[in-house]
Amino acid sequence: LDMFREYRKKLKLTQEALADKTDLNTRTIQRIENEEEIPSLETLSKLVNALEIKDEDLIEYIKKFSKQK
């Protein structure tokens, strides 16, 4: 599962609730969770703050996508 989905579910948030909390579009949340879109730094910051993502998990996420380039 995608890191963002795991954290969102731990906090018992729907995609809609997370979208409201981060001022993002629900479709954007869906695309990020389905790994169809890599979030911009601004979007990443909003998600990290809203979901209280651990530093080490964020670093692993960044490493994963930096390897794909």
Side-chain angles (χ1 to χ4, degrees):
L1 270 181
D2 176 72
M3 173 187 72
F4 297 107
R5 181 178 292 128
E6 289 179 22
Y7 271 89
R8 177 176 59 76
K9 290 189 177 211
K10 281 183 194 173
L11 294 175
K12 297 180 171 56
L13 292 172
T14 63
Q15 289 178 333
E16 293 79 9
L18 179 58
D20 288 343
K21 192 171 182 176
T22 57
D23 291 324
L24 296 171
N25 185 292
T26 303
R27 184 67 188 120
T28 300
I29 303 287
Q30 292 169 347
R31 286 192 303 264
I32 292 168
E33 286 188 357
N34 292 327
E35 297 183 352
E36 297 168 8
E37 180 178 319
I38 298 173
S40 68
L41 286 177
E42 181 181 352
T43 299
L44 187 60
S45 177
K46 289 178 180 182
L47 290 169
V48 167
N49 290 326
L51 296 172
E52 302 169 16
I53 293 175
K54 295 178 190 172
D55 292 344
E56 56 269 18
D57 289 340
L58 178 60
I59 290 167
E60 286 304 311
Y61 178 82
I62 291 169
K63 282 182 183 177
K64 174 183 171 183
F65 283 104
S66 65
K67 288 179 185 174
Q68 290 181 0
K69 291 188 173 188

